[in-house]
Amino acid sequence: MTPAIRRFPDLPALTEAALAAVARIAREAVAARGVFTIALSGGSTPMPLYAAMAGRGFGAPFASTVFFFGDERVVPVGDRRSNFGAIAPVLFTPSPIPVGNIHPMPVEVRPLELAAATYEDEVREVLGGGADVSGALPRLDLVLLGMGPDGHTASLFPDRPALGETRRLVVAMEPPTTVEPRVARLTFTLPLLNAARNVLFLVGAKGKEEPLAAALHGPPDPHVPASLVRPTDGGLEWLIGEG
Ligand code: 6PG
């Protein structure tokens, strides 16, 4: 599927467009299935979107929205590097979201392979889908993603064997060598990302020009993991901030 690409002069303009896109997808999901399921991205770019979602709403009732995380850094929730820890005070604390609708990744579980399998079970339990990827995959209504300067997305880093994963939906990842923070991660795999009904990338272009060109216009390339996100039967949109 060819991605829709929209460019914006700065982060506030990108955020407005992102909020409108989330609201459109959320309304469609609630009308069709009575619930809106979304996987959140870490990183700095989506933070103003999360604040806007909490403050202005996003097209679906809070009580009808289920939140997952597309990736997480394996650090305690109170650590400043935690995605959940960064997002919760911006999006969850100010909103009347039932706590049962929020699904943080279980970073405290060891070994990390068990943490990944536990989260995969949680995704399957909430979203349904077949018992393995030969059956129907769980489908999120929306997966938000970012892209790092090395082309990574979620916590799928360049040239890692996990990029070839076909069976597991969530995996543990060794710390990256290309970007900070250099801590282990849990991450959705490509089969789960590409099963989504909609994928929305939010990316500030500065310092990422090369991987951006490769992801948008090049062939699928494990050296630029974002280029491997191509939803099988879903929408793909890139919102790019030039400022
Ligand atoms: C993470 C992210 C990661 C992020 C990109 C872009 O946990 O680090 O989920 O994939 O989206 O690194 O981050 P920025 O928005 O800060 O550029």
Side-chain angles (χ1 to χ4, degrees):
M1 111 106 40
T2 318
I5 303 168
R6 290 196 283 156
R7 296 180 185 269
F8 301 91
D10 52 30
L11 185 56
L14 181 153
T15 299
E16 277 306 307
L19 185 62
V22 172
R24 175 182 55 78
I25 293 164
R27 273 193 293 269
E28 281 171 12
V30 171
R33 290 170 296 282
V35 63
F36 171 49
T37 58
I38 177 171
L40 303 176
S41 160
S44 56
T45 312
M47 286 300 163
L49 168 66
Y50 300 149
M53 287 170 69
R56 292 161 54 191
F58 51 88
F62 289 107
S64 306
T65 303
V66 177
F67 296 88
F68 288 94
F69 285 75
D71 75 319
E72 184 55 279
R73 291 100 179 256
V74 181
V75 293
V77 170
D79 187 296
R80 62 178 174 75
R81 297 168 296 181
S82 162
N83 284 341
F84 179 81
I87 293 169
V90 176
L91 176 54
F92 301 142
T93 313
S95 320
I97 299 170
V99 68
N101 289 19
I102 302 170
H103 297 270
M105 286 185 158
V107 287
E108 67 291 349
V109 172
R110 295 292 182 278
L112 287 180
E113 288 66 30
L114 180 60
T118 302
Y119 201 64
E120 175 169 332
D121 288 347
E122 202 169 318
V123 169
R124 287 189 189 281
E125 197 181 308
V126 177
L127 298 184
D132 61 61
V133 297
S134 58
L137 286 167
R139 301 192 75 188
L140 284 137
D141 293 311
L142 174 59
V143 175
L144 294 175
L145 290 173
M147 187 187 70
D150 59 349
H152 83 264
T153 191
S155 283
L156 296 169
F157 297 103
D159 303 312
R160 295 287 181 94
L163 295 171
E165 181 63 46
T166 56
R167 197 178 52 81
R168 290 171 300 171
L169 306 184
V170 182
V171 295
M173 191 64 91
E174 295 285 316
T177 55
T178 40
V179 289
E180 298 295 336
R182 298 185 184 211
V183 295
R185 315 289 182 100
L186 297 171
T187 185
F188 281 10
T189 59
L190 288 165
L192 184 54
L193 296 176
N194 284 331
R197 292 190 176 90
N198 297 277
V199 172
L200 183 63
F201 275 90
L202 307 184
V203 179
K206 205 164 168 222
K208 301 179 181 173
E209 292 81 0
E210 244 181 75
L212 202 48
L216 295 178
H217 308 297
D221 178 359
H223 197 57
V224 182
S227 72
L228 304 176
V229 178
R230 302 276 161 95
T232 316
D233 183 26
L236 174 59
E237 187 163 18
W238 284 72
L239 304 186
I240 299 166
E242 307 283 6

